[in-house]
Amino acid sequence: MASPYIELEVGERTVKVTNPDKVYFPEIGATKRELVEYYVSVGDGALRALRDRPTNLKRHPDGVQTEAIYQKRMPPRHPDWLQSVTVTFPSGRTAQSLCVTEVAAIAYGANLGTIDFHPWQVRASDVEHPDELRIDLDPQPGLGFDAARRAAFLTREVLGELGMTGFVKTSGNRGIHILVRIEPRWDFVEVRHAGIALARAVEARDPDLVTTAWWKEERGERVFVDYNQNARDRTVVSAYSVRARPDALVSAPLTWDELTDADPRDFDIRTVPARFAEVGDPHESIDDRAHSIEPLLRLYAGDDRGDMPYPPNYPKMPGEPKRVQPSKARSDT
């Protein structure tokens, strides 16, 4: 028996939505149809975050209560109008990745059960040189959103002194993401070095609040600045992405004034469309200016501490310190 479906007109495309009444978010009873229609309703903003970027899909075809399928490759069967781009992983292997070029592509992904979209920090025109510096502020256990908020304003201070503008959004959980458009002149290693320099500068402002410690055992109750989100094949959830939570919270772009008293629980699949219709996209001007990362690279070059550990799935990188958990390193001596 064929699955029930509806068809939505999205721009010039007709997008088929199968099993539209399947409940994806049990806490609020939101369905697959609501998910797809949500992405269409905030399409201009969601596309701004994803346009021309290789994009990974975090899929939950049977709802968020089920295990995720993290898809880095283009769906094998897809409409002819869907575009792709070749990306290279840290291992050296390559793959065809979804390249989002229109709102219909986002709706198509949502029909596959994609809850949140994870774009690379590069564009299809140049997949070796990032055009976005990402600051991921992750409160460690025992801390909440307010700690991330305080760390975000410290980050804004540092960026301002460097002449850089950051665009802020909730992560859709307890954290905060800050995005900085940069000139696509530097490779992944250099952009990651810039991210390390920025993270260390923020940490220096308040080391009791902020940490750059890669190993969890060293972080304590502080906000971790995940500098490795600037490495190749590492992604953060895109602006306007719904998160795979029963309450369907959204990674919501904010103005800095709004961040002062924002509550991430106010932004979900049902509240954000009305907000978008009323106030538009706080990140509308994010592409207006791209910054040089030379000031950050100078900070990195002048820091005797050098590089920091990469994620465990990476090959050993030149200049990287020993990738061993500190307590294990001590026990081995």
Side-chain angles (χ1 to χ4, degrees):
M1 184 176 178
S3 299
Y5 69 91
I6 60 171
E7 292 184 332
L8 299 178
E9 299 303 315
V10 185
E12 299 178 354
R13 316 295 184 189
T14 299
V15 177
K16 185 176 181 179
V17 181
T18 57
N19 298 305
D21 296 326
K22 181 182 288 187
V23 174
Y24 266 23
F25 304 93
E27 185 173 309
I28 62 173
T31 64
K32 181 179 181 180
R33 175 176 183 164
E34 287 182 78
L35 176 69
V36 178
E37 291 180 337
Y38 161 79
Y39 277 117
V40 174
S41 71
V42 298
D44 287 347
L47 183 59
R48 183 172 290 109
L50 295 169
R51 187 189 299 276
D52 298 330
R53 298 192 184 279
T55 300
N56 302 333
L57 308 178
K58 187 167 174 283
R59 298 172 52 211
H60 293 261
D62 292 312
V64 299
Q65 71 276 17
T66 61
E67 189 172 347
I69 301 168
Y70 199 75
Q71 185 164 334
K72 295 186 176 184
R73 289 169 169 78
M74 185 78 161
R77 293 188 299 171
H78 57 266
D80 292 341
W81 51 265
L82 211 61
Q83 297 189 31
S84 65
V85 59
T86 302
V87 294
T88 303
F89 299 121
S91 65
R93 293 180 296 109
T94 61
Q96 289 296 113
S97 174
L98 172 66
C99 180
V100 175
T101 58
E102 56 184 298
V103 177
I106 304 173
Y108 178 83
N111 177 60
L112 295 179
T114 302
I115 307 297
D116 37 351
F117 294 81
H118 291 254
W120 284 48
Q121 60 274 53
V122 297
R123 308 274 187 172
S125 58
D126 185 352
V127 294
E128 294 300 319
H129 297 90
D131 76 331
E132 187 168 80
L133 180 69
R134 295 171 171 178
I135 303 100
D136 181 1
L137 303 174
D138 181 14
Q140 297 303 285
L143 296 179
F145 185 77
D146 188 59
R149 185 195 338 260
R150 287 184 284 135
F153 280 110
L154 285 179
T155 305
R156 188 191 190 198
E157 286 180 13
V158 174
L159 288 171
E161 291 169 9
L162 294 167
M164 305 174 84
T165 300
F167 289 78
V168 67
K169 67 184 182 73
T170 67
S171 70
N173 200 335
R174 295 178 299 127
I176 289 174
H177 299 153
I178 301 171
L179 311 175
V180 180
R181 287 289 189 266
I182 61 174
E183 299 168 2
R185 295 165 44 199
W186 298 273
D187 62 22
F188 285 98
V189 172
E190 293 168 310
V191 172
R192 179 178 169 276
H193 287 169
I196 290 173
L198 179 61
R200 285 171 171 166
V202 177
E203 180 183 40
R205 297 287 167 108
D206 191 345
D208 291 330
L209 172 66
V210 177
T211 180
T212 59
W214 176 248
W215 303 106
K216 291 183 180 180
E217 64 184 34
E218 296 185 324
R219 294 177 189 170
E221 286 193 11
R222 292 181 288 178
V223 177
F224 172 51
V225 187
D226 190 352
Y227 59 87
N228 270 328
Q229 296 292 30
N230 292 292
R232 181 188 294 272
D233 192 32
R234 296 281 285 192
T235 62
V236 296
V237 66
S238 67
Y240 294 101
S241 270
V242 186
R243 303 312 305 269
R245 300 166 45 110
D247 55 4
L249 294 189
V250 166
S251 181
L254 303 173
T255 67
W256 284 101
D257 286 344
E258 288 177 317
L259 180 62
T260 303
D261 59 1
D263 185 333
R265 295 170 295 184
D266 291 338
F267 308 105
D268 64 30
I269 195 173
R270 289 175 174 162
T271 61
V272 170
R275 166 183 162 81
F276 188 83
E278 180 181 353
V279 304
D281 182 10
H283 289 189
E284 184 175 5
S285 62
I286 193 170
D287 292 314
D288 288 357
R289 182 184 176 192
H291 298 280
S292 169
I293 61 170
E294 288 289 359
L296 287 169
L297 293 178
R298 286 194 293 270
L299 286 177
Y300 180 84
D303 193 325
D304 293 339
R305 289 171 290 181
D307 208 345
M308 299 178 75
Y310 273 79
N313 63 312
Y314 277 67
K316 180 67 176 176
M317 301 295 287
E320 181 188 4
K322 185 183 294 186
R323 201 183 299 173
V324 179
Q325 192 170 325
S327 59
K328 187 175 189 307
R330 287 192 295 270
S331 66
D332 290 342
T333 58

